[in-house]
Amino acid sequence: MSEKNLDGDDRLERSIDWKQGLAIALGVPLLILPSLGYIPLYMSAAAILIWGLSVLQGFMQSTAYAEMATKFPKASGLPGIAQHVFRTENYEGKYDKGKLIGGFSAWSYWFAWTPVLAIFSILVGGYLHGLFPVLGETFSQYQLSLMSGVVIFAGLFVVNWFGLKDGAILGYILAAISLIPLVILAVAPFATGHVELSNITGSWWPTDWAWDLHHILILLGIFAIAQWSACAWETAAIYGPEYKNPSKDVPKALYACGIICLLLFVLVQSSVIGVLGVEGVIAEPISPLIPVAQAVFGQAGSMITIIMLIAAMILIIQTAYLGSSRAMHSMATEGNLPKVLGKLNPHGTPFVAMLVIGVFNLVLISLGNPAAIVAASAIGYTFANGISLFAYVKAKKHPSFANLERPFKAPRGWRHVAMIFGLFNVPLCLIGVVYLNSLEVGWTSTWVGFIVLAFYIPIWFYSQHESSHKKTKEAHAHSSGNDAADLESVP
């Protein structure tokens, strides 16, 4: 059952340990799949280095997030922490600018994770279209993607209706189905001698690379795209209010997932380039793991790979579905979205948020281009990370937060590290990803990204009006009650 806080709002149930949080977050290593062929297009074999550096960036950022998640154990990860830190305590006015900033960070985070459902549903439809010729003759790829989305979203909604613990059980099952074959595909090519190191060392850096403004902006954009995948394991912290012992569970789940990501991101990209070469990877930008499996295991291997990838995609959809619904629930309970979006069922699941997210992604599937959706989503993720790191800096300096208990402490002086990476995200990576998008997929995805983010403003003002109206009604009811009591006391 969900608990009640002092204000009477629903609070998420503390029902999982760090291993269950890790199981749900284990979908993150699979986020490399949409970009396996994309980053080598610009960086050649140095894509391996980009992935490694990006996961290390995740360790720098998540160390700050782990401290905040234990410092504010009732906040839901990045969205909840930013909202809590930036809001003005005991604010008497109607529109708190600090609350607007924190809410915008949470909205950006929500937009970073939510489109994952549509991206991977489109990919599932594409694999089914190619795997089963009968389906390909009967349905278009868009129809298969839409049907896949409906079936997957509905199934995950039913499974997670009964609480996060059941979502973790599904995470265990799908992690075994998808991560084990992914590890095999990363390691087997090295063990069987199919990896040609010359494919890596001979094409380490693009031949036309120059350290001019054009290429530096491309590099910043590449880091923003890579961060969308390689730093996303911070999602393990979003379940802070649902861990039984957040002071220990949060850092354990975070760092365990980070280590797994570091190994897999580097190994998978190395394996793919080592077998196919940079040109071979660019020729198979959507699914380069399939020819790798064919080279190592034959035709049967490619069939197993497709089945594995579909299971992997369901796992990452599960991770995104849970993370984005918690972000939306957090915004609603903080008064930054309409209250109805924070409504929980008797098992503590934010089911209204999950329904809205499912419908939103069915609309996104109609775009049909995963790269364009990733490009738009990455804009939100750079905002979310940048503002969250600035929140960490404020929480270290502000008198209201400086003396709070910190069960997990980042190393001394970490606020300077957080500030550096906050500025790296906003404005540097933000500028870079907008520039890269203009080169790769045109301005449409950039406009979609900024329009969705800007749409938060009218929603936020409506939410403040809703909250103000509620307070007025409560004050009026309280005043009427006092008047009635006064009348009853008259002899």
Side-chain angles (χ1 to χ4, degrees):
M1 297 289 290
S2 61
E3 304 173 12
K4 296 280 183 179
N5 62 20
L6 294 177
D7 299 322
D9 294 322
D10 286 319
R11 188 193 308 170
L12 297 169
E13 182 183 5
R14 295 197 179 278
S15 61
I16 63 171
D17 58 23
W18 73 270
K19 290 176 287 187
Q20 291 168 309
L22 172 63
I24 297 170
L26 275 179
V28 171
L30 305 164
L31 284 174
I32 193 174
L33 296 179
S35 303
L36 266 178
Y38 179 81
I39 294 182
L41 177 66
Y42 287 97
M43 303 306 302
S44 296
I48 300 166
L49 178 63
I50 295 295
W51 288 120
L53 291 175
S54 295
V55 177
L56 291 178
Q57 176 188 346
F59 275 98
M60 301 297 105
Q61 296 177 171
S62 290
T63 296
Y65 300 154
E67 180 176 322
M68 287 201 294
T70 60
K71 193 173 186 176
F72 306 107
K74 296 179 182 178
S76 296
L78 270 64
I81 292 165
Q83 291 174 96
H84 186 79
V85 170
F86 281 110
R87 72 183 179 189
T88 305
E89 292 295 328
N90 302 316
Y91 186 77
E92 297 296 334
K94 190 174 182 180
Y95 303 115
D96 178 6
K97 293 179 181 178
K99 189 174 182 180
L100 175 62
I101 294 171
F104 178 74
S105 176
W107 180 259
S108 299
Y109 185 86
W110 174 84
F111 182 56
W113 268 107
T114 295
V116 170
L117 283 72
I119 292 166
F120 283 90
S121 293
I122 292 171
L123 293 179
V124 168
Y127 282 114
L128 290 175
H129 192 269
L131 183 61
F132 300 106
V134 175
L135 290 177
E137 294 171 1
T138 307
F139 303 101
S140 68
Q141 186 168 325
Y142 164 71
Q143 290 172 326
L144 284 174
S145 298
L146 189 61
M147 289 189 293
S148 298
V150 170
V151 172
I152 294 170
F153 302 165
L156 291 178
F157 182 86
V158 171
V159 169
N160 289 286
W161 174 267
F162 299 100
L164 194 58
K165 186 181 295 185
D166 293 291
I169 293 172
L170 180 61
Y172 285 136
I173 296 170
L174 291 175
I177 294 172
S178 58
L179 281 186
I180 292 175
L182 189 64
V183 171
I184 292 172
L185 281 172
V187 175
F190 289 94
T192 58
H194 284 83
V195 169
E196 294 287 344
L197 291 180
S198 60
N199 285 341
I200 298 173
T201 58
S203 303
W204 181 250
W205 206 252
T207 55
D208 61 345
W209 187 268
W211 290 101
D212 54 17
L213 182 60
H214 167 70
H215 285 90
I216 290 172
L217 288 174
I218 287 176
L219 183 61
L220 290 171
I222 288 294
F223 270 113
I225 296 293
Q227 177 184 220
W228 184 86
S229 303
C231 298
W233 45 276
E234 46 70 24
T235 189
I238 202 171
Y239 311 112
E242 295 167 88
Y243 284 115
K244 296 174 183 176
N245 187 355
S247 64
K248 293 182 178 179
D249 289 333
V250 170
K252 282 183 179 180
L254 272 173
Y255 290 130
C257 195
I259 291 170
I260 292 170
C261 285
L262 180 61
L263 293 173
L264 281 179
F265 277 58
V266 171
L267 274 176
V268 170
Q269 188 71 79
S270 300
S271 172
V272 168
I273 294 177
V275 174
L276 304 179
V278 171
E279 294 300 323
V281 174
I282 294 173
E284 290 283 350
I286 302 299
S287 54
L289 282 177
I290 293 177
V292 170
Q294 290 175 334
V296 177
F297 301 113
Q299 190 60 38
S302 64
M303 179 71 73
I304 295 172
T305 301
I306 294 175
I307 295 172
M308 177 272 291
L309 288 176
I310 291 174
M313 292 171 197
I314 296 173
L315 175 57
I316 192 56
I317 290 172
Q318 154 93 341
T319 301
Y321 207 0
L322 294 176
S324 59
S325 64
R326 266 59 186 177
M328 185 168 274
H329 170 270
S330 174
M331 286 185 279
T333 56
E334 287 284 346
N336 288 316
L337 284 182
K339 287 288 184 183
V340 66
L341 295 173
K343 189 174 180 60
L344 303 177
N345 72 1
H347 302 283
T349 298
F351 72 100
V352 176
M354 293 184 74
L355 284 173
V356 170
I357 290 166
V359 173
F360 176 69
N361 275 274
L362 290 177
V363 174
L364 280 182
I365 289 173
S366 64
L367 295 178
N369 184 355
I373 301 173
V374 171
S377 181
I379 294 173
Y381 198 56
T382 56
F383 270 120
N385 274 293
I387 297 174
S388 295
L389 290 166
F390 297 146
Y392 175 80
V393 174
K394 179 180 179 179
K396 296 288 285 187
K397 297 171 62 178
H398 198 280
S400 300
F401 308 123
N403 296 322
L404 292 178
E405 183 182 358
R406 293 178 293 155
F408 173 83
K409 296 181 181 179
R412 184 183 297 272
W414 208 256
R415 65 185 178 91
H416 301 297
V417 176
M419 178 60 78
I420 290 170
F421 280 99
L423 293 172
F424 180 67
N425 278 283
V426 180
L428 296 181
C429 282
L430 177 62
I431 294 171
V433 75
V434 169
Y435 183 76
L436 184 62
N437 289 352
S438 69
L439 297 176
E440 180 65 22
V441 292
W443 286 98
T444 301
S445 62
T446 297
W447 280 115
V448 168
F450 280 113
I451 288 171
V452 171
L453 293 175
F455 194 61
Y456 171 71
I457 305 299
I459 295 176
W460 186 80
F461 277 104
Y462 171 81
S463 301
Q464 304 319 295
H465 175 75
E466 180 185 60
S467 298
S468 177
H469 182 66
K470 181 180 178 182
K471 289 178 182 177
T472 301
K473 286 182 63 177
E474 290 174 348
H476 179 72
H478 181 72
S479 175
S480 299
N482 287 340
D483 291 343
D486 290 341
L487 288 172
E488 290 177 1
S489 65
V490 175

